Structure formats: structure tokens, C-alpha cells
Amino acid sequence: MIEGLTNDGAVPVLEALIRFSGARQRLIAHNAANISTPDYRTLDVRPAEFQGLLRRAIDQRREEHGAPTGPLEFESTDQIQFGTTGSLHLNPDPNAPSDSMLFHDRNNRDIERLMQANAENVAVFRVATDLLRSRMEIMRVAVSERV
């Protein structure tokens, strides 16, 4: 019964978005902390890759269950790995080509892109947490049998 509530509708999708945004925020913070470190290359994963994995997992769930219910089953890639317990690990390629200019200290920092990635990531996280919070509030009210 409880599993049906937590795996229904958008809840698993929102949880996956929150996990991805949290993991990506750690990468962005790591890049900011190393903004002036010689030989440092910025690390990131493309959100479009995660969005594609999420889309395939949603489509697979619809095909298997005939409705938007049930757990999401993700396939892992080189950069995005999913654990059996729903955990998510990002493994960015440090040798991935970058559009950023290489400075004299061999660091490819780009503060504008870093702040843009941060702002976009925070926006996704906030929307996902707000939607999940409202979904949980609806369930709380329904369980407590109040209007």
C-alpha cells in the first residue's frame, strides 16, 4: 500500500531529478572550489543525457504497467550510474573537450558558464523539491482524513 503511494505518478521522477541535481551541484561546487587551481579541468555531466535516461525510464514504466505508476528502472551510462537502492553517482570524463579557453596555468575555468550551470541546476532542484513537497502534503492530508 505505501509502496503504491511512493511509486505513483510523478514522485519517482521528482526524486530522480532531486538526486541528479544534488549530485551535479557537488560537481559545480568542486569546480568553483578549484577555479584557480593550476592544471584543473572543470568536470560536468550533460543534463540532456540524464533527461534522455529519465525519458526512457518513464516510457518503459508506462509500457510495463500501462499507467504512470511503479518504480523507475534506469539504465546506467559511463557518466551516470544508478545503484540498486535508487542511488545515483556521476562520473564525469575529465578529458572531455571543453568550449572554455585554456589559461596560462592550464586551467580551463569559465566563471560565467559555471554560474549559469549553478543557476540552472538550482532552479531544477527548487522546482522538483517544491512539486514533491506539494505531492507529499496532498498525501499527508489524505492519510489524516482532513479536508
Side-chain angles (χ1 to χ4, degrees), residues 36-71:
S36 61
T37 302
D39 294 320
Y40 182 76
R41 300 288 195 268
T42 56
L43 302 171
D44 202 2
V45 295
R46 294 172 302 152
E49 183 176 349
F50 173 75
Q51 292 165 357
L53 295 172
L54 184 59
R55 185 178 315 112
R56 284 191 288 279
I58 291 169
D59 290 343
Q60 179 183 357
R61 179 175 75 166
R62 283 187 184 140
E63 288 174 10
E64 288 179 6
H65 299 282
T69 187

Short mmCIF file of all heavy atoms in Angstrom, two decimals, residues 36-71:
data_model
loop_
_atom_site.label_atom_id
_atom_site.label_comp_id
_atom_site.label_asym_id
_atom_site.label_seq_id
_atom_site.Cartn_x
_atom_site.Cartn_y
_atom_site.Cartn_z
N SER A 36 40.90 28.46 -9.36
CA SER A 36 42.25 28.99 -9.61
C SER A 36 43.34 27.93 -9.40
O SER A 36 44.50 28.27 -9.25
CB SER A 36 42.52 30.20 -8.70
OG SER A 36 42.44 29.79 -7.35
N THR A 37 42.97 26.67 -9.42
CA THR A 37 43.93 25.58 -9.26
C THR A 37 44.61 25.30 -10.59
O THR A 37 43.94 25.02 -11.59
CB THR A 37 43.23 24.30 -8.76
OG1 THR A 37 42.58 24.59 -7.54
CG2 THR A 37 44.22 23.16 -8.58
N PRO A 38 45.94 25.37 -10.66
CA PRO A 38 46.64 25.07 -11.91
C PRO A 38 46.36 23.64 -12.37
O PRO A 38 46.22 22.72 -11.56
CB PRO A 38 48.11 25.24 -11.54
CG PRO A 38 48.11 26.13 -10.36
CD PRO A 38 46.86 25.81 -9.61
N ASP A 39 46.27 23.46 -13.67
CA ASP A 39 46.05 22.17 -14.33
C ASP A 39 44.67 21.56 -14.08
O ASP A 39 44.42 20.42 -14.45
CB ASP A 39 47.12 21.14 -13.93
CG ASP A 39 48.49 21.51 -14.43
OD1 ASP A 39 48.59 22.00 -15.57
OD2 ASP A 39 49.47 21.33 -13.67
N TYR A 40 43.78 22.30 -13.43
CA TYR A 40 42.44 21.75 -13.15
C TYR A 40 41.55 21.89 -14.38
O TYR A 40 41.52 22.92 -15.04
CB TYR A 40 41.78 22.46 -11.97
CG TYR A 40 40.43 21.90 -11.64
CD1 TYR A 40 40.31 20.69 -10.97
CD2 TYR A 40 39.28 22.56 -12.04
CE1 TYR A 40 39.06 20.15 -10.69
CE2 TYR A 40 38.03 22.04 -11.76
CZ TYR A 40 37.93 20.83 -11.09
OH TYR A 40 36.70 20.29 -10.83
N ARG A 41 40.83 20.83 -14.69
CA ARG A 41 39.84 20.83 -15.77
C ARG A 41 38.46 20.71 -15.15
O ARG A 41 38.23 19.84 -14.31
CB ARG A 41 40.05 19.66 -16.73
CG ARG A 41 41.39 19.64 -17.42
CD ARG A 41 41.45 20.75 -18.47
NE ARG A 41 42.55 20.57 -19.38
CZ ARG A 41 43.75 21.10 -19.23
NH1 ARG A 41 44.00 21.81 -18.17
NH2 ARG A 41 44.68 20.91 -20.12
N THR A 42 37.56 21.59 -15.55
CA THR A 42 36.21 21.55 -14.99
C THR A 42 35.54 20.22 -15.33
O THR A 42 35.75 19.65 -16.40
CB THR A 42 35.35 22.71 -15.52
OG1 THR A 42 35.33 22.66 -16.94
CG2 THR A 42 35.88 24.04 -15.05
N LEU A 43 34.71 19.75 -14.39
CA LEU A 43 34.01 18.48 -14.53
C LEU A 43 32.51 18.74 -14.56
O LEU A 43 32.00 19.53 -13.77
CB LEU A 43 34.33 17.56 -13.35
CG LEU A 43 35.81 17.23 -13.13
CD1 LEU A 43 35.98 16.49 -11.81
CD2 LEU A 43 36.34 16.40 -14.29
N ASP A 44 31.82 18.07 -15.46
CA ASP A 44 30.37 18.19 -15.51
C ASP A 44 29.82 17.03 -16.33
O ASP A 44 30.55 16.38 -17.07
CB ASP A 44 29.95 19.52 -16.12
CG ASP A 44 28.53 19.94 -15.73
OD1 ASP A 44 27.88 19.20 -14.95
OD2 ASP A 44 28.08 20.99 -16.20
N VAL A 45 28.55 16.79 -16.15
CA VAL A 45 27.82 15.85 -17.00
C VAL A 45 26.70 16.64 -17.66
O VAL A 45 26.22 17.63 -17.11
CB VAL A 45 27.25 14.65 -16.20
CG1 VAL A 45 28.36 13.80 -15.63
CG2 VAL A 45 26.33 15.11 -15.10
N ARG A 46 26.31 16.20 -18.82
CA ARG A 46 25.28 16.92 -19.55
C ARG A 46 23.91 16.59 -19.00
O ARG A 46 23.53 15.42 -18.94
CB ARG A 46 25.35 16.58 -21.03
CG ARG A 46 26.64 17.07 -21.69
CD ARG A 46 26.77 16.56 -23.08
NE ARG A 46 26.72 15.10 -23.01
CZ ARG A 46 26.28 14.31 -23.99
NH1 ARG A 46 25.87 14.82 -25.10
NH2 ARG A 46 26.28 13.02 -23.85
N PRO A 47 23.14 17.60 -18.60
CA PRO A 47 21.78 17.33 -18.14
C PRO A 47 20.92 16.65 -19.21
O PRO A 47 20.03 15.87 -18.89
CB PRO A 47 21.23 18.72 -17.79
CG PRO A 47 22.44 19.53 -17.49
CD PRO A 47 23.51 19.00 -18.40
N ALA A 48 21.22 16.92 -20.48
CA ALA A 48 20.46 16.29 -21.57
C ALA A 48 20.61 14.77 -21.54
O ALA A 48 19.67 14.04 -21.87
CB ALA A 48 20.90 16.84 -22.91
N GLU A 49 21.78 14.28 -21.13
CA GLU A 49 21.98 12.83 -21.03
C GLU A 49 21.08 12.25 -19.93
O GLU A 49 20.43 11.22 -20.13
CB GLU A 49 23.45 12.51 -20.72
CG GLU A 49 23.74 11.03 -20.67
CD GLU A 49 25.22 10.73 -20.47
OE1 GLU A 49 26.05 11.66 -20.57
OE2 GLU A 49 25.53 9.56 -20.19
N PHE A 50 21.02 12.92 -18.79
CA PHE A 50 20.13 12.45 -17.72
C PHE A 50 18.68 12.54 -18.15
O PHE A 50 17.89 11.63 -17.88
CB PHE A 50 20.35 13.27 -16.44
CG PHE A 50 19.34 12.94 -15.38
CD1 PHE A 50 19.44 11.77 -14.66
CD2 PHE A 50 18.27 13.79 -15.13
CE1 PHE A 50 18.49 11.45 -13.69
CE2 PHE A 50 17.33 13.48 -14.17
CZ PHE A 50 17.44 12.31 -13.45
N GLN A 51 18.30 13.60 -18.83
CA GLN A 51 16.92 13.76 -19.28
C GLN A 51 16.53 12.63 -20.24
O GLN A 51 15.41 12.13 -20.20
CB GLN A 51 16.73 15.13 -19.94
CG GLN A 51 16.84 16.26 -18.96
CD GLN A 51 17.02 17.61 -19.63
OE1 GLN A 51 17.12 17.72 -20.85
NE2 GLN A 51 17.08 18.67 -18.82
N GLY A 52 17.45 12.22 -21.10
CA GLY A 52 17.19 11.10 -22.00
C GLY A 52 16.99 9.80 -21.24
O GLY A 52 16.09 9.01 -21.55
N LEU A 53 17.82 9.56 -20.22
CA LEU A 53 17.66 8.36 -19.40
C LEU A 53 16.34 8.38 -18.65
O LEU A 53 15.66 7.35 -18.53
CB LEU A 53 18.83 8.24 -18.40
CG LEU A 53 20.21 8.01 -18.99
CD1 LEU A 53 21.27 8.10 -17.91
CD2 LEU A 53 20.27 6.66 -19.69
N LEU A 54 15.97 9.55 -18.15
CA LEU A 54 14.71 9.71 -17.42
C LEU A 54 13.52 9.46 -18.36
O LEU A 54 12.57 8.76 -18.01
CB LEU A 54 14.63 11.10 -16.81
CG LEU A 54 13.42 11.42 -15.94
CD1 LEU A 54 13.34 10.47 -14.75
CD2 LEU A 54 13.50 12.86 -15.45
N ARG A 55 13.59 9.99 -19.57
CA ARG A 55 12.53 9.80 -20.55
C ARG A 55 12.35 8.32 -20.88
O ARG A 55 11.23 7.80 -20.92
CB ARG A 55 12.85 10.59 -21.82
CG ARG A 55 11.76 10.56 -22.88
CD ARG A 55 12.09 11.40 -24.10
NE ARG A 55 12.63 12.71 -23.77
CZ ARG A 55 13.90 13.08 -24.00
NH1 ARG A 55 14.73 12.26 -24.58
NH2 ARG A 55 14.31 14.28 -23.67
N ARG A 56 13.46 7.61 -21.09
CA ARG A 56 13.38 6.17 -21.39
C ARG A 56 12.81 5.39 -20.22
O ARG A 56 12.02 4.45 -20.40
CB ARG A 56 14.74 5.64 -21.80
CG ARG A 56 15.13 6.04 -23.22
CD ARG A 56 16.35 5.30 -23.72
NE ARG A 56 17.59 5.71 -23.10
CZ ARG A 56 18.28 6.78 -23.45
NH1 ARG A 56 17.85 7.58 -24.41
NH2 ARG A 56 19.42 7.08 -22.84
N ALA A 57 13.18 5.75 -19.00
CA ALA A 57 12.66 5.06 -17.81
C ALA A 57 11.16 5.29 -17.67
O ALA A 57 10.41 4.37 -17.32
CB ALA A 57 13.40 5.52 -16.56
N ILE A 58 10.69 6.51 -17.94
CA ILE A 58 9.26 6.81 -17.86
C ILE A 58 8.50 6.03 -18.93
O ILE A 58 7.45 5.44 -18.65
CB ILE A 58 9.02 8.33 -17.99
CG1 ILE A 58 9.56 9.05 -16.76
CG2 ILE A 58 7.54 8.63 -18.18
CD1 ILE A 58 9.60 10.56 -16.91
N ASP A 59 9.03 6.02 -20.15
CA ASP A 59 8.37 5.28 -21.24
C ASP A 59 8.32 3.78 -20.93
O ASP A 59 7.30 3.13 -21.18
CB ASP A 59 9.10 5.51 -22.56
CG ASP A 59 8.93 6.93 -23.09
OD1 ASP A 59 7.99 7.63 -22.61
OD2 ASP A 59 9.72 7.35 -23.96
N GLN A 60 9.40 3.24 -20.38
CA GLN A 60 9.43 1.82 -20.02
C GLN A 60 8.40 1.52 -18.94
O GLN A 60 7.71 0.50 -19.00
CB GLN A 60 10.83 1.43 -19.55
CG GLN A 60 10.94 -0.02 -19.14
CD GLN A 60 12.33 -0.34 -18.60
OE1 GLN A 60 13.22 0.50 -18.57
NE2 GLN A 60 12.50 -1.57 -18.15
N ARG A 61 8.27 2.40 -17.95
CA ARG A 61 7.30 2.19 -16.89
C ARG A 61 5.88 2.21 -17.45
O ARG A 61 5.05 1.39 -17.06
CB ARG A 61 7.46 3.28 -15.81
CG ARG A 61 6.46 3.16 -14.67
CD ARG A 61 6.72 4.15 -13.57
NE ARG A 61 6.29 5.48 -13.97
CZ ARG A 61 6.15 6.49 -13.12
NH1 ARG A 61 6.40 6.32 -11.83
NH2 ARG A 61 5.77 7.66 -13.54
N ARG A 62 5.60 3.10 -18.38
CA ARG A 62 4.28 3.16 -19.00
C ARG A 62 3.98 1.88 -19.78
O ARG A 62 2.85 1.38 -19.76
CB ARG A 62 4.17 4.36 -19.92
CG ARG A 62 3.97 5.65 -19.19
CD ARG A 62 3.71 6.79 -20.14
NE ARG A 62 3.62 8.03 -19.41
CZ ARG A 62 4.13 9.16 -19.83
NH1 ARG A 62 4.74 9.24 -20.99
NH2 ARG A 62 4.02 10.26 -19.09
N GLU A 63 4.98 1.37 -20.50
CA GLU A 63 4.78 0.15 -21.28
C GLU A 63 4.54 -1.07 -20.38
O GLU A 63 3.68 -1.89 -20.66
CB GLU A 63 5.99 -0.12 -22.17
CG GLU A 63 6.11 0.83 -23.33
CD GLU A 63 7.39 0.63 -24.12
OE1 GLU A 63 8.11 -0.37 -23.88
OE2 GLU A 63 7.69 1.48 -24.98
N GLU A 64 5.29 -1.17 -19.30
CA GLU A 64 5.17 -2.32 -18.40
C GLU A 64 3.90 -2.30 -17.57
O GLU A 64 3.27 -3.32 -17.35
CB GLU A 64 6.39 -2.40 -17.48
CG GLU A 64 7.65 -2.82 -18.18
CD GLU A 64 8.85 -2.85 -17.25
OE1 GLU A 64 8.68 -2.66 -16.02
OE2 GLU A 64 9.96 -3.07 -17.75
N HIS A 65 3.53 -1.14 -17.07
CA HIS A 65 2.40 -1.05 -16.14
C HIS A 65 1.13 -0.52 -16.79
O HIS A 65 0.07 -0.58 -16.19
CB HIS A 65 2.77 -0.15 -14.94
CG HIS A 65 3.94 -0.68 -14.16
ND1 HIS A 65 3.82 -1.72 -13.26
CD2 HIS A 65 5.25 -0.34 -14.16
CE1 HIS A 65 5.01 -1.98 -12.73
NE2 HIS A 65 5.89 -1.15 -13.27
N GLY A 66 1.24 0.03 -17.97
CA GLY A 66 0.08 0.58 -18.64
C GLY A 66 -0.42 1.87 -18.03
O GLY A 66 -1.45 2.38 -18.43
N ALA A 67 0.27 2.38 -17.05
CA ALA A 67 -0.12 3.62 -16.36
C ALA A 67 1.14 4.23 -15.75
O ALA A 67 2.14 3.54 -15.58
CB ALA A 67 -1.15 3.32 -15.27
N PRO A 68 1.06 5.50 -15.39
CA PRO A 68 2.24 6.14 -14.77
C PRO A 68 2.38 5.75 -13.30
O PRO A 68 2.25 6.57 -12.41
CB PRO A 68 1.97 7.63 -14.95
CG PRO A 68 0.49 7.73 -14.98
CD PRO A 68 0.00 6.47 -15.63
N THR A 69 2.62 4.49 -13.05
CA THR A 69 2.79 4.02 -11.68
C THR A 69 3.87 2.95 -11.65
O THR A 69 4.15 2.31 -12.66
CB THR A 69 1.46 3.47 -11.12
OG1 THR A 69 1.63 3.16 -9.74
CG2 THR A 69 1.00 2.24 -11.86
N GLY A 70 4.48 2.78 -10.52
CA GLY A 70 5.55 1.80 -10.36
C GLY A 70 6.91 2.48 -10.33
O GLY A 70 7.04 3.65 -10.67
N PRO A 71 7.92 1.74 -9.91
CA PRO A 71 9.26 2.33 -9.81
C PRO A 71 9.87 2.58 -11.19
O PRO A 71 9.50 1.93 -12.17
CB PRO A 71 10.05 1.26 -9.04
CG PRO A 71 9.35 -0.01 -9.35
CD PRO A 71 7.90 0.35 -9.51
#
